[in-house]
Amino acid sequence: LSLFSKKNKIALAIIILLGFIVYSPALKNGFTDWDDPEYVTENNTIKDISLNGLKTIFSDYSTGNYHPLTMLSIAFNYKISGTKPFSYHLTNNILHLLNVFFVFVFVFMLFKNRIIAITGALLFGVNAMNVESVAWISERKNLLYALFFLSSLLSYLKYIDSQKKQYYLLSLLLFFLSCLSKGQAVVLSVVVIFIDYVRNRNLLNF
């Protein structure tokens, strides 16, 4: 089965369009008084992306959490539009749609089954569980860590299929970036065990 066959492209385009339609109302949202002041509107850390500013971002804990890549992405939004919320919400929506794409590719590569891939991507793309992550600016961390998380899993699958060590190293790098986006990414180390199980692969076989 070809990953980017005509049928897959059509199905994926429809799913992404549905995902955009479902979450497009969030583009009209403003900031909330829950975490958005600490993350954005009252956060002086994101206002400086000079070398010293980057050092601060990568050494700062936001509301008790360490996720510098998330704060860096918010800092770029601040550079673009200051405290106008549209660019933040647009970025969240784009990240979500990218994750929908990666879910489709990951599931298809894992099971080699179009129906399972379409079902998985559709359920993820329009699922109510993602409303908070997409519609709430401060939950950017969920979207960003998922992006690197899924990318890491894809690289790991590519490593299994090709046995090329560069894909394994890339998977580790993306895992690290996912952890810098949100600490919960550490569960990836368990997820790869299930991937090995599905693929009937010995985990110790490098």
Side-chain angles (χ1 to χ4, degrees):
L1 291 175
S2 174
L3 173 59
F4 293 114
S5 65
K6 184 177 180 180
K7 289 183 178 179
N8 282 359
K9 288 180 180 178
I10 293 173
L12 188 54
I14 292 173
I15 293 169
I16 289 176
L17 178 60
L18 287 174
F20 175 77
I21 292 172
V22 168
Y23 287 101
S24 60
L27 296 173
K28 300 177 182 179
N29 289 357
F31 294 100
T32 71
D33 57 1
W34 191 313
D35 285 354
D36 282 353
E38 291 84 354
Y39 276 79
V40 187
T41 56
E42 298 175 9
N43 186 1
N44 291 325
T45 302
I46 66 169
K47 298 177 182 180
D48 180 15
I49 54 174
S50 65
L51 183 58
N52 286 332
L54 292 176
K55 290 179 181 178
T56 301
I57 288 174
F58 277 85
S59 60
D60 184 56
Y61 283 79
S62 301
T63 64
N65 298 299
Y66 183 70
H67 32 54
L69 280 188
T70 296
M71 300 313 299
L72 182 60
S73 72
I74 291 175
F76 279 115
N77 277 128
Y78 184 86
K79 187 72 173 178
I80 293 170
S81 61
T83 54
K84 295 179 180 179
F86 178 77
S87 78
Y88 299 86
H89 288 297
L90 178 62
T91 302
N92 277 17
N93 272 263
I94 292 172
L95 287 173
H96 174 63
L97 296 178
L98 286 172
N99 286 337
V100 173
F101 171 81
F102 282 129
V103 166
F104 179 89
V105 175
F106 170 69
V107 176
F108 186 88
M109 287 182 61
L110 182 62
F111 296 105
K112 306 297 185 183
N113 187 296
R114 179 185 296 113
I115 301 302
I116 296 177
I118 290 173
T119 303
L122 182 60
L123 290 176
F124 179 85
V126 300
N127 201 304
M129 72 175 185
N130 290 316
V131 170
E132 183 179 85
S133 298
V134 179
W136 182 16
I137 291 170
S138 295
E139 282 300 277
R140 169 79 56 82
K141 52 187 176 288
N142 283 347
L143 300 167
L144 199 60
Y145 108 82
L147 180 72
F148 291 118
F149 193 100
L150 291 165
S151 300
S152 178
L153 294 180
L154 286 172
S155 295
Y156 187 71
L157 278 175
K158 190 70 174 177
Y159 162 68
I160 293 176
D161 291 338
S162 68
Q163 290 300 302
K164 294 182 178 179
K165 292 293 178 65
Q166 58 262 39
Y167 290 113
Y168 181 76
L169 295 176
L170 178 59
S171 179
L172 290 177
L173 173 61
L174 292 167
F175 171 46
F176 178 65
L177 295 177
S178 186
C179 288
L180 291 180
S181 301
K182 188 174 182 178
Q184 280 83 343
V186 296
V187 299
L188 185 143
S189 56
V190 177
V191 175
V192 295
I193 297 175
F194 289 103
I195 291 177
D196 282 350
Y197 174 77
V198 171
R199 286 296 189 88
N200 296 313
R201 180 178 178 272
N202 186 343
L203 181 64
L204 301 178
N205 181 18
F206 288 94

